[in-house]
Amino acid sequence: MKKVADWQWRTLETDGWKNPKKDWTSGAMYAGMMAWGKIANDEIYYKKLIQVGEDNQWKIGHYRRFADDYCVGQLYSQLYTIYKDPRYIEDFKSEADTIASLPHTESLEWKNGVHTREWAWCDALFMGPPALAYLTQATGDSKYLDASSQLWWKSTEYLYDKEESLYYRDSRYFNKKEKNGAKVFWSRGNGWVMGGLVRVLTVMPKDHADRARFIQLFQDMSEKIASIQLADGSWHASLLDPATYPVKETSGTGFFCYALTWGINQGILPYKKYGPVVTKAWNALTTSVHPDGKLGYVQAQGAAPDKVTYDDTDVYGVGAFLLAGSEMLHMTIDQQKNTAMVQAVNPAASEQNIKATVEWTSVTAQIKKAKVKGLVLEDAISGEQIPFEIIYTDDRKPKSIVFETSLSAGSSKFFRIKKS
């Protein structure tokens, strides 16, 4: 992940930005860079993203109701949750207030520039819904998440094929067929949907009225996507006609890997069934990384399946890769047998020494016959052993494990407890 992230920033800084920093392509990259920043334990990555915001004057794009142009709102809201600077969300919030207040009764048929006003294409479900959802997380105002949910289901009613458990890209594809006669379902388009779906669920309260519907949709799509994974672990540009596009495609594969692994980590998808799927997908992704960190096999910007080569790359593919990697890291540590995973989090805007507490019942639930003597705590990435203290109850029974670690602003770190 570090290799890919560093290659991307180095290339942007030396070769320049192919698209505007407010663009949807960049917005998808920022999503992955935020995920990487949270586990890198190095504030330099957040500082690069803050500089993007400063360069943008914390504004969204020109077409203010166009989801592509406020995808960048995800970045602004996530940075705000760490640094609490009201400038970060002021402009996006003003537009989100408008979006949340409109009736949204227009048809989603692809005509009259409807995409500049409504979520009339499936890609929009990664751009728009998470942006509104993260604004609710930032502000505490539920109206943005509620609008996100309302508009999600409007788009789903129009674009979702219940028989295939997949989304059409937009109404122009309802009656199109691939060379093999199958319906046209674009890999990256459906990857956008699944990525957006889990990002909304990430910030949706457990008691939200629509949460069960979202989870059911996620499970249905997950089952379909897993069933059509190819032998090398990837998905090609066309989901139902992979032979016509006979090369793996990493932006769709990256978003599928991200979403499915998130589902495992949240206990929504069973590891036994989906663990092998995401492990193969991650292998398909990592074998697409060039020696210098460039991610290959990223289909160019478009609206439908198309050819792709080892040398093709773009920033949104990197975003998908980093999102997938962040969840794979979590899963890989969490699923190790006879160990207890611990995640220490620093929500503050500056480096802090964090005191982490692990309940003893959590340790014994994950480690068979756990005893105080013989346990070690280590950094799950480096393997470095970390000193810890046992807190006892009044009757001298273990109550918790406490340890300290230094974390940079807004970051987290994984640890594991195991027998020595």
Side-chain angles (χ1 to χ4, degrees), residues 222-242:
S222 296
E223 185 167 359
K224 177 66 176 187
I225 290 302
S227 74
I228 57 176
Q229 184 183 35
L230 298 169
D232 69 352
S234 75
W235 291 265
H236 292 184
S238 173
L239 291 176
L240 301 187
D241 186 14

Side-chain angles (χ1 to χ4, degrees), residues 249-399:
E249 198 285 309
T250 54
S251 63
T253 297
F255 280 113
F256 292 142
C257 184
Y258 162 55
L260 295 174
T261 313
W262 179 89
I264 293 170
N265 291 335
Q266 297 301 312
I268 297 170
L269 300 178
Y271 174 76
K272 186 174 181 179
K273 178 177 180 179
Y274 288 94
V277 175
V278 298
T279 299
K280 287 170 61 179
W282 182 242
N283 183 65
L285 292 167
T286 55
T287 54
S288 302
V289 177
H290 294 214
D292 63 356
K294 174 183 175 180
L295 176 67
Y297 296 112
V298 181
Q299 186 192 328
Q301 298 172 41
D306 206 346
K307 62 184 180 180
V308 63
T309 72
Y310 174 66
D311 287 320
D312 291 332
T313 195
D314 213 321
V315 291
Y316 47 82
V318 168
F321 180 92
L322 295 173
L323 286 167
S326 67
E327 293 297 332
M328 285 296 297
L329 177 63
H330 183 162
M331 187 196 78
T332 302
I333 299 166
D334 194 32
Q335 294 296 330
Q336 290 176 345
K337 292 182 179 180
N338 226 22
T339 66
M341 187 188 80
V342 186
Q343 187 174 14
V345 179
N346 174 20
S350 60
E351 185 172 351
Q352 302 280 338
N353 280 328
I354 301 297
K355 179 175 282 191
T357 301
V358 187
E359 296 302 319
W360 184 252
T361 53
S362 176
V363 175
T364 56
Q366 298 174 77
I367 302 176
K368 295 178 181 178
K369 299 180 180 179
K371 295 180 180 179
V372 170
K373 189 175 181 180
L375 287 183
V376 296
L377 172 73
E378 63 183 23
D379 184 309
I381 307 302
S382 69
E384 176 191 1
Q385 290 196 7
I386 309 296
F388 62 90
E389 178 186 1
I390 299 290
I391 305 299
Y392 291 92
T393 62
D394 291 341
D395 54 356
R396 296 301 297 168
K397 291 182 180 179
K399 179 182 178 182

Side-chain angles (χ1 to χ4, degrees), residues 12 60 64 79 154 212 215 350 409 417:
L12 290 171
I60 61 173
R64 294 182 61 81
L79 287 173
K154 176 182 177 179
I215 289 177
S350 60
I417 301 169

Side-chain angles (χ1 to χ4, degrees), residues 114-279:
V114 66
H115 61 284
T116 62
R117 300 179 297 277
E118 299 285 341
W119 300 341
W121 73 111
C122 73
D123 320 20
L125 296 181
F126 181 85
M127 316 304 177
L132 294 176
Y134 282 115
L135 188 59
T136 282
Q137 184 183 55
T139 64
D141 191 333
S142 63
K143 73 178 179 183
Y144 307 113
L145 177 60
D146 292 341
S148 175
S149 180
Q150 173 200 342
L151 296 177
W152 180 286
W153 293 108
K154 176 182 177 179
S155 299
T156 295
E157 185 176 333
Y158 191 71
L159 297 174
Y160 185 59
D161 185 315
K162 293 181 180 179
E163 292 181 359
E164 298 290 355
S165 298
L166 296 169
Y167 281 71
Y168 293 100
R169 199 276 175 172
D170 59 64
S171 66
R172 295 171 297 175
Y173 293 87
F174 286 166
N175 298 310
K176 288 187 177 182
K177 295 287 192 276
E178 296 283 16
K179 287 184 179 179
N180 67 355
K183 297 173 184 177
V184 178
F185 291 113
W186 183 30
S187 178
R188 183 161 73 239
N190 280 274
W192 288 123
V193 173
M194 291 197 73
L197 184 52
V198 303
R199 288 172 77 72
V200 170
L201 279 168
T202 296
V203 297
M204 181 174 277
K206 295 285 193 292
D207 60 353
H208 193 281
D210 289 341
R211 186 175 175 86
R213 290 179 74 194
F214 275 96
I215 289 177
Q216 186 62 60
L217 174 63
F218 173 62
Q219 291 172 328
D220 291 345
M221 288 194 75
S222 296
E223 185 167 359
K224 177 66 176 187
I225 290 302
S227 74
I228 57 176
Q229 184 183 35
L230 298 169
D232 69 352
S234 75
W235 291 265
H236 292 184
S238 173
L239 291 176
L240 301 187
D241 186 14
T244 297
Y245 306 92
V247 179
K248 63 182 174 179
E249 198 285 309
T250 54
S251 63
T253 297
F255 280 113
F256 292 142
C257 184
Y258 162 55
L260 295 174
T261 313
W262 179 89
I264 293 170
N265 291 335
Q266 297 301 312
I268 297 170
L269 300 178
Y271 174 76
K272 186 174 181 179
K273 178 177 180 179
Y274 288 94
V277 175
V278 298
T279 299

